[in-house]
Amino acid sequence: KNQVEQSPQSLIILEGKNCTLQCNYTVSPFSNLRWYKQDTGRGPVSLTIMTFSENTKSNGRYTATLDADTKQSSLHITASQLSDSASYICVVSAGTNAGKSTFGDGTTLTVKP
Amino acid sequence: DVKVTQSSRYLVKRTGEKVFLECVQDMDHENMFWYRQDPGLGLRLIYFSYDVKMKEKGDIPEGYSVSREKKERFSLILESASTNQTSMYLCASSGTGKLKQFFGPGTRLTVL
């Protein structure tokens, strides 16, 4: 069964600090891995998309890494801001079917002043 | 700016009622999706559509149906709402061959 596990479940950091969120998956055959940010009460917004051949992708202060051998990804947030407080969701897709995606439960990040 | 809109942000219905959730996108996307999001379970795909009048079941289609009569509009139908369908419902769209999905704001449905 395809699975995506994210850790930690929740995280509290001080403004200005860095943090790293983890995503482990067992999805096969692997097609792509996406990270989304979801603010409370809103739909997810895409941060990064990585295919098999990519091992890092940046979007401003967000940097995602992918290790396809160990089936792990991380999302690193640099110099956190209060607006980074949100849920971060890892999504892994299998094959080329648009509907075959497995979503992680998300990591809830709280940035405090 | 790309936009996916959903007909309601909050909805309260009674058990047994027929419920329609509407989703509209203005990006001329071929693919549209309906998910539900529950604490501890992440987002789960209910149905998706890759073209007008075309649909495929997702992971949890039981108790739901969909309609896609026009490219920009994808409707989710609960034929007879039940309390276990209380959830956040999210619609998304993407272009053919495109990995990036655009999500709507969600509809929080409560079935009493």
Side-chain angles (χ1 to χ4, degrees):
Chain A
K1 182 184 176 183
N2 290 335
Q3 286 188 309
V4 174
E5 293 185 358
Q6 292 188 242
S7 61
Q9 190 172 27
S10 62
L11 184 62
I12 300 173
I13 62 173
L14 292 176
E15 187 178 11
K17 297 296 185 183
N18 304 335
C19 67
T20 300
L21 314 180
Q22 299 290 341
C23 173
N24 296 341
Y25 62 92
T26 59
V27 176
S28 182
F30 176 84
S31 173
N32 63 86
L33 186 146
R34 294 163 276 159
W35 282 95
Y36 286 87
K37 178 187 179 189
Q38 185 175 20
D39 292 316
T40 303
R42 294 183 171 271
V45 174
S46 178
L47 291 176
T48 62
I49 301 171
M50 289 182 291
T51 58
F52 185 86
S53 59
E54 297 172 297
N55 56 22
T56 188
K57 185 73 72 80
S58 290
N59 178 358
R61 293 180 297 102
Y62 301 101
T63 299
T65 62
L66 172 65
D67 186 333
D69 291 331
T70 61
K71 299 187 177 181
Q72 295 180 325
S73 176
S74 63
L75 180 69
H76 186 73
I77 304 174
T78 304
S80 62
Q81 300 175 359
L82 298 179
S83 59
D84 292 331
S85 295
S87 179
Y88 292 84
I89 301 171
C90 175
V91 186
V92 184
S93 295
T96 56
N97 190 319
K100 295 301 180 187
S101 294
T102 303
F103 287 73
D105 288 345
T107 292
T108 300
L109 174 66
T110 302
V111 180
K112 293 197 169 184
Chain B
D1 215 10
V2 297
K3 199 171 246 188
V4 179
T5 57
Q6 295 184 227
S7 49
S8 306
R9 292 301 305 275
Y10 300 94
L11 207 53
V12 180
K13 295 291 182 181
R14 297 214 173 267
T15 301
E17 279 193 78
K18 191 169 185 176
V19 182
F20 293 87
L21 302 183
E22 303 283 336
C23 175
V24 177
Q25 49 94 5
D26 65 358
M27 296 163 282
D28 201 35
H29 282 168
E30 290 75 16
N31 302 317
M32 295 188 75
F33 308 80
W34 273 108
Y35 297 92
R36 63 177 284 177
Q37 185 176 30
D38 301 288
L41 296 176
L43 274 81
R44 292 178 292 167
L45 181 65
I46 304 171
Y47 269 98
F48 75 98
S49 168
Y50 50 90
D51 203 350
V52 175
K53 297 190 187 294
M54 306 302 287
K55 61 185 179 185
E56 275 198 32
K57 292 180 179 180
D59 299 319
I60 51 165
E62 297 79 18
Y64 304 93
S65 63
V66 290
S67 172
R68 188 139 180 232
E69 296 297 317
K70 293 185 177 182
K71 191 175 186 181
E72 68 271 18
R73 188 180 298 268
F74 191 34
S75 303
L76 180 69
I77 303 151
L78 287 66
E79 294 289 344
S80 178
S82 62
T83 54
N84 62 13
Q85 292 179 309
T86 291
S87 185
M88 168 71 89
Y89 290 87
L90 288 159
C91 174
S93 72
S94 69
T96 297
K98 301 296 184 184
L99 302 176
K100 187 173 183 177
Q101 286 179 305
F102 294 86
F103 282 83
T107 295
R108 185 164 292 283
L109 172 67
T110 302
V111 183
L112 302 176

